[in-house]
Amino acid sequence: MKGEVFGIFPTPVLKFNLDRDFTKEELDFVYLCEGNIPPPPYYVHLGNNATSDKKILEHPEMANLKSAIDACLSEWCKNVYNPINGDFKLKITQSWLNYTKPGEHHDRHYHPNSIVSGVLYIDTNPIQDQIIFNSGKMYDFYIPWKSLNQFNSMEASITINKREIILFPSNLNHSVPKNIGTNTRISLAFNSFFEGTLGVHHTEPNYTQFNGAS
């Protein structure tokens, strides 16, 4: 007897292409930030370096990139939430630059106090660079599998290329493998939070207006 398998409640991950090259002004700013990163405290170990400035997209040099990312977040709202309230949106709350030198990596982590997170890739090695997502599921039993599928897999990877933007739920565990190339992998990461109206008037206790977190 053969049953029908249903995969329900999938996890959304959206991928976009910037559709243009980075400007000299944008790249000059990105490389200037790399030169200004102080050494991390001895107790911090993430596998790579990141700017202490968590408002990178607020700088005037990055204004056009911020607009592009805002458009991607609007697409997330449209395709994932499909809201009835016209003022509902996702507002960027934090943004920073990551620099992963050859031999470095980015440890598995998630982004607390955020709804949707994302990454814009500025410099990558398309042959080997990827982002790895982990389901976070803990199994009580280990059952050796013949092949992986969407139900028995705990990890999934997406190949990343320069000028691509990836959006994913902030609570989704993710990591970046060791950079085995010769160039520094550079990415711009960001978090977002609700802005606008949640709920409907006839459920007044659940009717809330958000201005976005900061």
Side-chain angles (χ1 to χ4, degrees):
M1 183 180 297
K2 185 176 181 180
E4 185 176 1
V5 179
F6 296 91
I8 62 174
F9 307 129
T11 301
V13 175
L14 275 62
K15 188 177 185 180
F16 304 86
N17 194 296
L18 190 59
D19 291 331
R20 69 167 176 86
D21 290 328
F22 296 107
T23 67
K24 182 179 184 301
E25 183 182 38
E26 291 164 350
L27 291 176
D28 286 347
F29 177 78
V30 167
Y31 292 120
L32 176 65
C33 289
E34 182 180 14
N36 293 333
I37 295 179
Y42 71 93
Y43 53 83
V44 173
H45 177 70
L46 294 175
N48 62 355
N49 285 322
T51 56
S52 57
D53 183 356
K54 295 300 186 287
K55 296 288 184 182
I56 287 292
L57 287 172
E58 300 304 316
H59 291 266
E61 298 90 340
M62 309 298 276
N64 290 333
L65 291 180
K66 183 177 185 294
S67 296
I69 291 171
D70 280 333
C72 294
L73 289 170
S74 294
E75 284 296 306
W76 177 287
C77 288
K78 176 183 175 182
N79 291 289
V80 177
Y81 299 139
N82 193 21
I84 191 172
N85 292 317
D87 68 336
F88 178 84
K89 62 181 290 189
L90 286 166
K91 177 184 177 181
I92 297 171
T93 56
Q94 294 176 306
S95 54
W96 63 97
L97 288 160
N98 296 306
Y99 302 90
T100 307
K101 297 177 182 179
E104 294 182 339
H105 66 285
H106 202 162
D107 287 343
R108 192 170 76 186
H109 63 287
Y110 67 97
H111 295 203
N113 304 320
S114 176
I115 304 298
V116 175
S117 296
V119 187
L120 165 62
Y121 295 96
I122 298 171
D123 197 353
T124 65
N125 180 345
I127 297 176
Q128 59 95 18
D129 280 348
Q130 56 184 310
I131 182 170
I132 300 173
F133 295 105
N134 185 280
S135 68
K137 293 185 294 187
M138 298 297 293
Y139 293 124
D140 294 325
F141 305 97
Y142 172 66
I143 303 172
W145 36 260
K146 293 180 180 178
S147 61
L148 290 171
N149 58 49
Q150 63 175 317
F151 304 108
N152 64 13
S153 299
M154 292 190 69
E155 288 189 345
S157 62
I158 296 178
T159 301
I160 53 178
N161 294 286
K162 189 182 298 186
R163 299 188 300 273
E164 288 184 336
I165 301 170
I166 299 284
L167 300 182
F168 51 88
S170 300
N171 61 1
L172 184 61
N173 284 290
H174 56 284
S175 61
V176 178
K178 180 187 292 186
N179 181 358
I180 61 174
T182 57
N183 296 331
T184 297
R185 181 193 300 130
I186 303 175
S187 63
L188 191 159
F190 52 91
N191 290 330
S192 68
F193 207 83
F194 295 136
E195 183 176 69
T197 304
L198 296 180
V200 290
H201 283 289
H202 70 268
T203 57
E204 194 66 31
N206 297 321
Y207 182 72
T208 306
Q209 287 189 318
F210 280 92
N211 293 318
S214 61

